[in-house]
């Protein structure tokens, strides 16, 4: 297993395990195996447990930077990643800014990224599709490696546009 196998939802659950000071190291291992592999570690033989523990070593590294793609298959659905902020509708820009008010932490990535993921075959943001389904698909199927890379791209792009508008007012 590696970061490209870990969904955004799994990552946020893993993060919560590490941030909880009440968990012992043993509790964390048991919970991480359950979150990442869907296995009840308490029912494993010790030899089996060692195999899962060895597979958790990737958690000590950072998620890799991924190349952005034009299309993403999330679950059974295909999405187009709209990358050009100049082509955004006012509604998309407002939603993006409002979601940013809630932070750019991974807990908010599904909201932030849903602005940029348009179901294949759709042309208008928020029209004729269920935006909550998009958020669920992002949470459940987009890898944390892809989510970090996409969010980083848009947050950097947004900051560059802001700086440009401040430096070069018309």
């Amino acid at each position: 297993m590696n970061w490209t196998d870990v969904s955004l939802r799994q990552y946020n659950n893993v993060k919560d395990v590490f941030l909880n000071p009440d968990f012992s190291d043993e509790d964390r291992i048991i919970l991480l195996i359950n979150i990442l592999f869907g296995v009840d570690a308490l029912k494993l033989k010790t030899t089996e447990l060692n195999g899962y523990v060895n597979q958790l070593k990737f958690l000590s590294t950072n998620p890799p930077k991924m190349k952005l793609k034009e299309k993403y298959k999330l679950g059974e659905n295909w999405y187009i990643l709209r990358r050009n902020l100049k082509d955004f509708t006012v509604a998309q820009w407002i939603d993006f800014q409002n979601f940013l008010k809630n932070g750019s932490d991974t807990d908010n990535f599904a909201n932030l990224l849903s602005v940029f993921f348009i179901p294949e075959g759709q042309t208008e943001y928020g029209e004729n599709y269920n935006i909550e389904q998009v958020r669920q698909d992002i949470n459940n199927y987009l890898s944390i490696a892809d989510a970090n890379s996409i969010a980083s791209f848009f947050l950097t792009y947004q900051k560059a546009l802001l700086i440009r508008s401040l430096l070069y007012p018309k």
Side-chain angles (χ1 to χ4, degrees), residues 141-157:
Y141 302 109
L142 187 65
S143 78
I144 186 59
D146 282 320
N148 269 340
S149 297
I150 295 165
S152 176
F153 171 81
F154 283 111
L155 293 169
T156 301
Y157 193 8

Side-chain angles (χ1 to χ4, degrees), residues 25-39:
D25 289 343
E26 293 80 11
D27 291 335
R28 284 190 177 95
I29 290 170
I30 290 166
L31 290 167
L32 292 172
I33 290 170
N34 182 268
I35 291 166
L36 295 172
F37 301 101
V39 172

Side-chain angles (χ1 to χ4, degrees), residues 1-42:
M1 175 165 272
N2 62 54
W3 286 117
T4 58
D5 301 317
V6 177
S7 73
L8 179 57
R9 180 178 309 284
Q10 288 173 310
Y11 176 82
N12 284 325
N13 290 337
V14 165
K15 182 177 70 171
D16 291 343
V17 166
F18 280 111
L19 292 175
N20 189 327
D22 296 331
F23 292 142
S24 68
D25 289 343
E26 293 80 11
D27 291 335
R28 284 190 177 95
I29 290 170
I30 290 166
L31 290 167
L32 292 172
I33 290 170
N34 182 268
I35 291 166
L36 295 172
F37 301 101
V39 172
D40 183 353
L42 295 174

